[in-house]
Amino acid sequence: MSLLNEALRSAEQRREHPHAPAAYPGQVATRIGGTSPAFAILIAVAVLATLAAFVLLWLWLKPDPAPMETLLGAPFAEAAVTQPEPVFEEPAASAKTGSTGQPSEGAIDTIEIASEEPEAPETEKGRAPEPQPETEPERDIATVKPPSPAAESKPEPEFAVGNEPTPAPSEAAPAVKQQRETPELADRRTEKSIRQALSAGQFQKAEATLSDLLAIQPAPRSRARLARYLLVNQRPQQALTWLPRDMAATDDSLRLLRARGLLALGQTGEAVALLESNVPGVRQNAEYTVTLATLLQQQDRANDAAGRWAELIAFDDARAAWWVGLAIALEADQQFRAATRAFEQAMVLPDLPPSLAEYVRSRLTKLGAG
């Protein structure tokens, strides 16, 4: 009881003297009339900590708009945001205008702004759109409609940037001038046509084709083609009509064909005279020299014929027929030993025909016996 009484007395003293020390050494001294400053600071720190925890918790639990935009797609996410109604004005250089000053239909149909408000009704054809405010909301790239496959083939509308002029179409390339056909090319082309007509048995067509060309040029190749056909078919007189003397005088092929025509008509002297009037070199026309040598042999001009055969053999000594011609000319000119050597040389050549080989053996037998 004494201890309880002392405690009561100590409590009364503390009420009278608030700043008096506590009765017990470990007891914290407190103010009876108010709150301790340390306790108030502790309460403030606790309140601030609680608020900070709530803020952090709210920020952590706040929904992220990015996943929603990813799931729904950019056009659906943007559609949820209310935007002002799009306004189309008539800019001077930003859109292509027609002759009436109205914006081109391609520029309006390509870009569409997503909005919650219903679209404005379409204007009637030929009526100008009502004037709109000059301000125009910023267009979002995500709301541009992708072009359909059918629209890819159509020309895209032109969106002018700044005041850049539309490039003018390039000038058409000048037409290439066709090269004029030369007389030589025309002659070759006509010769081919005549050869095809003759192969098909269309002789009149071949004559008409040649006559058309002769009206503008001499056409030596075409003449030679038709004349050779007539000579082969035993029609020398008709062949000579296409081989006039003046043309034969300037062309080796025509001169040779005319000489064969004369020979076929029995005019051997005129044929030889024509050939000797202008003899080309062996390298240029070996056939011309062979014909001349043969005709000289028939005219009993063995020495002249042997000289022509010698020219041919000097050009090519592997022709058996030329050695036989030389041997015949030498035998006719009484040069038997030289003729024998010429016949023997013809026998060893591989291109000697069998019929001619029999003749050579018979001549060698006669010359050997003699």
Side-chain angles (χ1 to χ4, degrees):
M1 292 297 292
S2 59
L3 292 175
L4 180 60
N5 292 332
E6 290 181 1
L8 292 174
R9 282 196 299 268
S10 298
E12 291 177 356
Q13 290 178 0
R14 284 195 299 270
R15 293 190 187 97
E16 295 178 357
H17 305 282
H19 297 285
Y24 301 98
Q27 185 178 358
V28 181
T30 59
R31 293 178 60 181
I32 300 301
T35 304
S36 173
F39 183 73
I41 292 173
L42 181 61
I43 292 175
V45 170
V47 171
L48 292 176
T50 302
L51 291 176
F54 274 107
V55 170
L56 293 176
L57 181 61
W58 180 79
L59 292 176
W60 182 67
L61 295 178
K62 180 182 178 181
D64 190 7
M68 184 63 66
E69 181 179 351
T70 304
L71 294 175
L72 298 181
F76 295 95
E78 294 293 337
V81 181
T82 303
Q83 297 183 0
E85 183 179 0
V87 178
F88 295 94
E89 60 179 1
E90 300 178 10
S94 63
K96 184 178 180 181
T97 60
S99 60
T100 59
Q102 298 180 1
S104 61
E105 296 180 359
I108 298 176
D109 295 338
T110 304
I111 300 180
E112 179 179 340
I113 306 300
S115 176
E116 295 180 356
E117 298 182 4
E119 298 179 357
E122 298 180 356
T123 59
E124 297 180 359
K125 296 182 179 180
R127 182 182 301 176
E130 297 179 2
Q132 301 293 339
E134 295 182 358
T135 59
E136 183 178 357
E138 183 179 1
R139 299 176 179 178
D140 194 354
I141 299 176
T143 61
V144 178
K145 292 176 62 179
S148 61
E152 293 181 358
S153 60
K154 299 180 180 180
E156 299 181 356
E158 299 180 359
F159 293 95
V161 179
N163 294 325
E164 297 179 359
T166 304
S170 58
E171 297 181 359
V176 179
K177 295 183 179 179
Q178 296 182 354
Q179 186 178 3
R180 185 177 179 181
E181 190 177 30
T182 62
E184 290 77 8
L185 292 177
D187 192 10
R188 290 177 180 272
R189 177 178 53 80
T190 305
E191 179 196 8
K192 182 178 180 181
S193 300
I194 293 174
R195 183 174 67 251
Q196 293 174 351
L198 294 176
S199 300
Q202 300 174 350
F203 179 77
Q204 294 181 352
K205 180 180 178 180
E207 282 190 321
T209 303
L210 179 56
S211 299
D212 293 340
L213 184 61
L214 292 179
I216 58 176
Q217 66 156 309
R221 295 178 64 91
S222 301
R223 285 177 183 270
R225 173 63 61 180
L226 187 60
R228 188 177 293 109
Y229 172 83
L230 293 171
L231 290 174
V232 171
N233 287 273
Q234 305 299 322
R235 297 161 66 178
Q237 190 65 48
Q238 191 174 357
L240 291 177
T241 60
W242 298 104
L243 301 169
R245 186 179 297 273
D246 56 344
M247 288 294 302
T250 58
D251 188 273
D252 298 342
S253 298
L254 296 181
R255 188 163 57 253
L256 179 59
L257 290 173
R258 182 173 175 81
R260 290 180 177 178
L262 294 173
L263 182 62
L265 294 175
Q267 302 175 11
T268 307
E270 294 183 7
V272 173
L274 178 63
L275 292 177
E276 287 186 317
S277 63
N278 188 1
V279 182
V282 177
R283 292 181 179 274
Q284 297 176 4
N285 196 338
E287 184 183 1
Y288 189 101
T289 306
V290 171
T291 304
L292 177 59
T294 303
L295 293 179
L296 290 173
Q297 184 75 26
Q298 293 179 4
Q299 291 290 317
D300 296 331
R301 296 172 58 181
N303 191 16
D304 294 337
R308 297 297 178 182
W309 290 116
E311 292 178 3
L312 291 168
I313 291 174
F315 170 69
D316 186 3
D317 59 355
R319 302 286 186 92
W322 293 357
W323 283 101
V324 173
L326 176 61
I328 293 173
L330 292 174
E331 184 181 3
D333 196 34
Q334 305 297 319
Q335 301 182 31
F336 302 112
R337 185 174 296 181
T340 301
R341 290 197 300 268
F343 279 128
E344 291 174 349
Q345 183 63 31
M347 285 295 296
V348 299
L349 293 177
D351 64 333
L352 183 66
S355 58
L356 193 57
E358 183 64 26
Y359 172 78
V360 170
R361 280 193 291 268
S362 65
R363 298 315 302 169
L364 285 174
T365 301
K366 184 177 181 180
L367 289 172

